[in-house]
Amino acid sequence: MFGNVVLGLPHEWFEEELKAMKERQSAAADTDLTADDLVELVAKYKEVYARGNVSFPTNPLDQLRAGICAVFQSWGSARAIKYRKLERVTDLKGTAV
């Protein structure tokens, strides 16, 4: 989710890797994957970041700051506006993180 929401990488790239892993391991659900499978999946996700020419921030504070910025930047997005309209969330000046 971080790669997609915060760094703008296509969600499908991550889903393709997860789907391929589940198929290789004959796993019906994500929770059927073992710890070793997940270690391998992390390596595949790192390749996704490389394909997108971005690196995953390893510093937790950098991750937090990037997440906070993404929240504030998303406030005026079409998706956020539609959500607030559908949920009748009105008269807000911004968001809280």
Side-chain angles (χ1 to χ4, degrees), residues 18-44:
L18 177 60
K19 181 180 177 185
M21 171 63 70
K22 287 167 58 176
E23 287 174 358
R24 281 194 303 275
Q25 301 303 328
S26 300
D30 300 357
T31 54
D32 295 330
L33 297 172
T34 67
D36 288 338
D37 295 336
L38 296 176
V39 168
E40 184 181 336
L41 185 60
V42 167
K44 292 293 186 183

Side-chain angles (χ1 to χ4, degrees), residues 2 31-33 58 69 71-72 76 79-81 93:
F2 186 91
T31 54
D32 295 330
L33 297 172
T58 56
C69 287
V71 169
F72 285 119
R79 181 177 176 186
I81 292 167
K93 306 250 186 288

Side-chain angles (χ1 to χ4, degrees), residues 50-63:
R51 184 177 1 153
N53 203 29
V54 296
S55 59
F56 184 85
T58 56
N59 182 317
L61 288 177
D62 292 340
Q63 294 173 22

Side-chain angles (χ1 to χ4, degrees), residues 3-5 11-12 18 20 22 24 30 33 35 38 46 48 56 74 76 81-82 84 93-94 97:
N4 173 245
V5 174
H11 177 73
E12 296 79 25
L18 177 60
K22 287 167 58 176
R24 281 194 303 275
D30 300 357
L33 297 172
L38 296 176
K46 286 180 180 180
V48 168
F56 184 85
S74 73
I81 292 167
K82 184 171 185 162
R84 289 192 300 274
K93 306 250 186 288
V97 178

